[in-house]
Each structure stands twice: as C-alpha cells, then as structure tokens.
Amino acid sequence: MPHGDRGRGVHLDTAGLGRMPAAARAQLTEWTRHEDRHGPCEVDEYVHHVVRPELDARLAALLGAPAGDTVLATGAADAFAALVPCLPLGPGDRIWTTPYEGVANLTVLTALRDRARCRLEVVPLRPDGDLDLEWMAAHIDDDVALVSVAHVPAGCGIVTPVEDIGRILAPHRCLYAVDASYAVGQLPVDAGRIGCQLLTGDGWRFLRGPESVGFAYLAPELRQALAPYGTASLALPEGASVVALNAALAVAEDAGLAVPGDAGLAGGLAAVLRTAVEETPGAELIAPGRVQCGIVTFRHAEMPAGLLRRALAARGVVVGKTVAQETPLYSPGRKATAAVRVSVHHDNSAWDAARFAEALREALAGRGHHAVPTAVRAAAPAPAAVAAGGGAVAAPAAGLRAVGAGPVAGAGAAGAVPAAGVPRPRRTAGRRHLALVCAPAPDGTA
C-alpha cells in the first residue's frame, strides 16, 4: 500500500514507515512542487523563518529538551555518524554498547574504537533478555567515556530502561547516547529524565513524517565536548520534508498524541497481535525482556519471513520484515536470519488486529504442523570486548541468545511466550555492513 494511502488495507508497519497524515502529505506535495517551479531559495527561507521555530518548539516538547538544542539531519543514523566520531576519546577509554545496538551505530563505534585505540565492550544480558543493570552498576567507572543504547531496537519490541541506565551513569564522566528511532512517537521520550547527552530519532516511523528527515538532541555537555574539535557536516533534509514533518507533529499535537502516555502504543492492540501469533501453530514470538512496546516480531517454522510478509500483503495486511544483520551482536538463535515485524499506531483499530489474525491464518493454511520450540533460554553471557583491527566486530558469547517475554509497556497483560531474537535493516542510505568474526574467549577478550 502506498505511503499515506489508507485504501482498504491494514497498515501494520509503522516501525518501517509510518502512514503519513493527509495534512503532512499535502504540505510535502505543495512545497516539492513549489521548489520545482521556483527553486529552493523560497522554500529555504520559509523553512528558516516560519517552520523551524515551530518545529524546534514541537521537538522540544516531544523530547523533553530545551528549545533550540535539537538539530535536523537526514536520519538518526546520519546524525550519530556525524557527531560521535569527533568525540575526544583515547587509549584507556572504554565504550559501552549493547547486543541490541543497530548496525549503523555499531559501525561508527567500531571506527571510533580503531581510531582512538580504546575498548568497545558489550553490556551482557540477563537470562530474560533485559540488559544487566546490576553488571553496569558494578562495572561503571571513569574509564567509561561513552555509553550507546537503543531505546527500542529495530528487530523486536523490547523497551530498554533508559532512565534507569541514566541514573547509573549520572555520577560518572561518560557521555550517554540514546537511539530513540523506534521509540519516539510511540513511547514517552524525555531526554531530561533519561539524562542522556545525545538522543537521535527518525521522523518517518512513529512520528509519521516523510523519509530522510530526522533529528538529534545535543545536551550542553556534548556541545562543550565537541566544541574544540567540530563535527562532520550534517546532511540536511530537503526543505519540503521539514515542512511535512512539522505538519505531521502538528496533527499529532492537535489529536493529543504528540507526547505519548505511559502506555504508549503498546496496550490492547499489541497484546491482541501477540496472542494471535502465540495461537498460530509453528509460529515463534520474538519477545526478549520484561517490557514490550507496540512492535511484535515473530517467525514461522515452515514459511520464510519474506514469503509470509508477501502472503499477508496479498491479503491487504502490510507488515514489515526484519533481518539479523540489523543488530549483528544480538545472536538470533538457531541461525535464523529473518522474521516478520508487525507494529501498531494510534490510528490502528481492533478491526485491524482481527484482520491480521485472519490473514495470518489464511496465509498459513495447511502449514504449521511441526511447531518450533516456544522458548530458548541460556545463561547470560559475560561482557564481551569487541575486537580491534580490520573494522570487524566480535560477536558476544553464544549465550547472548537468551530471550524471554514480558508484559506490554503500560498494560497489565500477561507475558508473551519467550523466544529467540532476530533484526533487520529497512532504510539503507549511508549504512555499512559489518563482518562478524569468531566469538570472544571466555575471559571476555577478543
């Protein structure tokens, strides 16, 4: 289904590309035509004098950040790639990342490690799939210079406790970066409460703006750290895209949805979708951690994810697909490489969820007689250092595949069936892939 076209179909791929509101789509069309006819100068002036003050105020309210502390970019990954490599790190410094880190940010961190000759370490997971906050509290010291965390990863619906992490890091000198690309617009995101110095986001997912427009919040501490060194030039989004993002946020603001409540989008509809997956023979829910959001990921024992996605689309239900390369440090278990990703927005309805369940049954009719195991558990791995040299990343210990399931964020629903995890890239512009090398030794060294 085309972006923004409701038609008669069911759009359940907001995590990949949100369905743009009609008002935002109209602004995108109008200003794209205006630029085509009259050149970019008038559009740029309109954006600078009219749109940016409105957009800055809306982003400040959305992110819990002071107005004027955000910058625009063509996407969260591009902003991260322009800002983080310029940090003044050196030998003796440590960078922490997590198994849920996206490949684009992980590539940047690996290059920074090689240039600065510092260490890149992977925070271990608990057996249920949550980050081990006790390990973080026990091992944090002033050697840790940067911590990079995904609020919600690309390949599953786990919600990382970014505010709890911020409290652990607050007494120390490290900079804290949060990738909110799959969280902002569906969950509360408050940079002040999180305590992060860098927060990046995409405008085309749950915010429902056009593609190739994103933003970053830079705290004063980060600006101060970067001031002597500068940053790479940020690739600025097209003026028409900026106008459309502002219009999309205005629509959400008028509907009272600009700042999601505690339940976000992860209430009843996501629970219904999970139940539909759990009741499907041969389906395996991918739901690590105790808290889930409005993203539901699963795979089927007898139908590949791509084929199942197309079968659902043929029945009028648009879903996404996630592949393991998107989060290469998160071991998918049983060597699976792809899964179906379903994601809801506030304009989805109970009918949409019911239609998904019906389409899933139709697509799998005659399959699913050999159900896969519904749980994969393993001991939480020791922290792993990412190997230096050659730009390759050392995969964490095999136990990293431990996955559990938990309640929907903000809802009292019972936990979903645990399973193993898999991720994927959707937007590939400016992204590079990483080669994986053998797992680190038991002592955590590469």
Side-chain angles (χ1 to χ4, degrees):
M1 181 167 53
H3 186 199
D5 182 7
R6 295 185 64 90
R8 295 186 178 179
V10 176
H11 186 86
L12 294 174
D13 188 26
T14 303
L17 186 65
R19 187 162 50 191
M20 203 185 308
R25 189 169 64 253
Q27 289 287 294
L28 179 65
T29 301
E30 177 185 346
W31 287 98
T32 299
R33 288 175 176 170
H34 191 93
E35 181 172 353
D36 182 58
R37 292 172 182 171
H38 305 289
C41 291
E42 288 189 20
V43 179
D44 291 344
E45 289 178 358
Y46 176 70
V47 167
H48 179 74
H49 293 292
V50 178
V51 177
R52 279 305 300 270
E54 295 179 2
L55 182 56
D56 287 346
R58 289 191 169 104
L59 287 175
L62 178 70
L63 304 177
D69 281 357
T70 55
V71 296
L72 295 182
T74 49
D78 296 332
F80 190 90
L83 298 169
V84 170
C86 302
L87 292 173
L89 274 60
D93 287 328
R94 297 156 65 198
I95 302 171
W96 281 1
T97 187
T98 80
Y100 299 115
E101 188 73 88
V103 65
N105 288 5
L106 190 58
T107 302
V108 172
L109 296 176
T110 303
L112 176 59
R113 175 210 61 196
D114 292 345
R115 175 187 64 76
R117 299 184 180 277
C118 58
R119 288 178 61 82
L120 177 55
E121 299 172 346
V122 178
V123 175
L125 299 180
R126 292 159 35 102
D128 59 10
D130 280 337
L131 291 179
D132 192 337
L133 301 190
E134 293 182 0
W135 182 92
M136 296 182 76
H139 290 82
I140 184 67
D141 58 35
D142 283 342
D143 289 341
V144 179
L146 173 64
V147 177
S148 181
V149 172
H151 194 170
V152 174
C156 60
I158 184 174
V159 179
T160 302
V162 289
E163 293 184 12
D164 293 340
I165 293 172
R167 285 189 282 271
I168 293 172
L169 303 180
H172 301 274
R173 65 112 174 177
C174 66
L175 295 172
Y176 180 23
V178 173
D179 179 1
S181 298
Y182 293 88
V184 66
Q186 70 149 326
L187 298 172
V189 174
D190 190 315
R193 291 175 60 89
I194 293 171
C196 59
Q197 287 72 50
L198 174 64
L199 188 144
T200 55
D202 293 325
W204 61 86
R205 303 186 196 279
F206 293 94
L207 295 180
R208 303 200 300 165
E211 287 191 279
S212 298
V213 59
F215 50 84
Y217 157 72
L218 283 70
E221 306 96 300
L222 179 59
R223 293 178 185 271
Q224 183 178 2
L226 292 173
Y229 307 97
T231 62
S233 297
L234 276 171
L236 298 178
E238 297 289 338
S241 296
V242 177
V243 177
L245 176 60
N246 185 51
L249 295 184
V251 170
E253 188 177 86
D254 292 342
L257 298 164
V259 180
D262 291 339
L265 302 173
L269 286 185
V272 171
L273 296 176
R274 288 186 178 86
T275 299
V277 172
E278 291 175 311
E279 293 176 349
T280 301
E284 180 183 27
L285 190 67
I286 301 168
R290 292 169 290 178
V291 181
Q292 298 291 307
C293 65
I295 297 175
V296 179
T297 309
F298 69 97
R299 58 193 173 207
H300 193 268
E302 297 184 8
M303 182 178 282
L307 184 59
L308 181 52
R309 184 195 64 78
R310 293 192 295 274
L312 291 171
R315 291 163 174 81
V317 178
V318 176
V319 300
K321 188 180 78 169
T322 166
V323 298
Q325 296 97 314
E326 182 65 6
T327 49
L329 294 182
Y330 181 41
S331 178
R334 287 190 297 283
K335 298 182 179 180
T337 59
V340 176
R341 184 181 65 194
V342 187
S343 49
V344 297
H345 195 264
H346 69 83
D347 63 350
N348 288 119
S349 64
W351 185 89
D352 293 341
R355 179 66 193 117
F356 164 78
E358 181 183 15
L360 184 62
R361 288 193 298 270
E362 293 172 356
L364 294 172
R367 297 176 183 263
H369 299 298
H370 303 89
V372 296
T374 56
V376 177
R377 296 187 179 275
V386 180
V393 176
L400 205 61
R401 61 187 170 84
V403 192
V408 171
V417 178
V422 192
R424 86 135 210 207
R426 178 178 190 307
R427 178 176 176 270
T428 57
R431 298 192 174 190
R432 299 178 297 277
H433 293 281
L434 299 174
L436 299 184
V437 299
C438 59
D443 63 359
T445 60

